[in-house]
Amino acid sequence: MHFHKNTIAQLILDDPYRLELLKSVAALRLPDWYIAAGFVRNLVWDHLHNFVATPLNDVDVIYFDKTNRFKDVEVCKALVSSQPGINWQAKNQANIHSSNGYLPYRDSEHAMTFWPEKETAIAVRFTSNGQITVTAPFGTKSLFEGKITHNPIRDKSIFLRRIESKQWLQHWPKLVIA
């Protein structure tokens, strides 16, 4: 898995666009922040398919802040002012559990364990010394195997609807549902 995390970090370092987006989020100094979901997942799937970078529909920023639970709009405004034209989605993971009917999450990584598919639950951020760090509560192996894996704690119909609505199998034809 360490090899895969290094590969993800290198893919991002080789992508000036993603690198700039990471820098914009880092500048906000949010607690326990990451850029997650398609930001990483699509990059790896493009790599597996030898595709040029697929445009991002949005950029999912997650953070965990119990002290100021309702600042998602402020975070998005700050990100838009630094990087206009990006569909920023900021979600404080300290809040999300209630809308999903779960007990409170401990941190951002714990919150990711409740996402519908395992390959989406991979995220990146800068460390305090400027290195890219990758977190993946389910690991990275299935992502690099081109799988889309249902998280069994979530309703499978949500998982299947996401595959269909996002047209992952049409865009990345080598992917398989695990």
Side-chain angles (χ1 to χ4, degrees):
M1 182 163 75
H2 189 64
F3 168 77
H4 290 150
K5 288 183 175 186
N6 289 341
T7 302
I8 290 168
Q10 190 58 55
L11 288 170
I12 290 172
L13 288 170
D14 293 341
D15 186 327
Y17 176 66
R18 279 181 169 81
L19 205 50
E20 282 304 310
L21 296 178
L22 264 176
K23 289 176 184 176
S24 294
V25 180
L28 296 181
R29 300 177 196 252
L30 297 167
D32 192 22
W33 72 272
Y34 292 93
I35 301 182
F39 186 83
V40 177
R41 182 197 62 226
N42 294 5
L43 180 66
V44 172
W45 287 349
D46 283 346
H47 173 72
L48 295 175
H49 285 77
N50 295 312
F51 288 174
V52 178
T54 299
L56 295 167
N57 296 329
D58 58 27
V59 177
D60 295 295
V61 176
I62 63 170
Y63 63 100
F64 195 87
D65 187 355
K66 285 184 178 181
T67 63
N68 188 347
R69 292 183 173 232
F70 304 102
K71 66 178 183 182
D72 293 348
V73 171
E74 297 164 28
V75 170
C76 283
K77 283 181 183 177
L79 289 167
V80 166
S81 77
S82 73
Q83 292 281 341
I86 305 296
N87 181 14
W88 293 101
Q89 303 290 314
K91 299 284 187 222
N92 185 351
Q93 300 302 294
N95 295 334
I96 301 297
H97 68 280
S98 58
S99 62
N100 292 329
Y102 296 115
L103 294 173
Y105 303 141
R106 294 185 302 271
D107 55 28
S108 289
E109 185 174 11
H110 180 235
M112 290 169 50
T113 67
F114 293 85
W115 292 5
E117 60 279 334
K118 294 179 178 183
E119 295 73 22
T120 298
I122 299 175
V124 294
R125 69 176 174 197
F126 285 122
T127 61
S128 58
N129 64 356
Q131 300 295 309
I132 293 174
T133 189
V134 178
T135 188
F138 299 110
T140 56
K141 185 178 181 208
S142 66
L143 178 67
F144 279 87
E145 291 174 343
K147 294 180 180 176
I148 310 172
T149 311
H150 172 243
N151 182 350
I153 67 167
R154 294 296 301 269
D155 186 312
K156 192 156 189 175
S157 66
I158 294 169
F159 167 76
L160 295 172
R161 273 196 307 274
R162 284 176 50 83
I163 292 170
E164 183 63 32
S165 69
K166 294 179 178 286
Q167 299 184 337
W168 291 330
L169 298 173
Q170 290 80 7
H171 186 76
W172 294 283
K174 296 178 186 174
L175 298 178
V176 295
I177 298 172

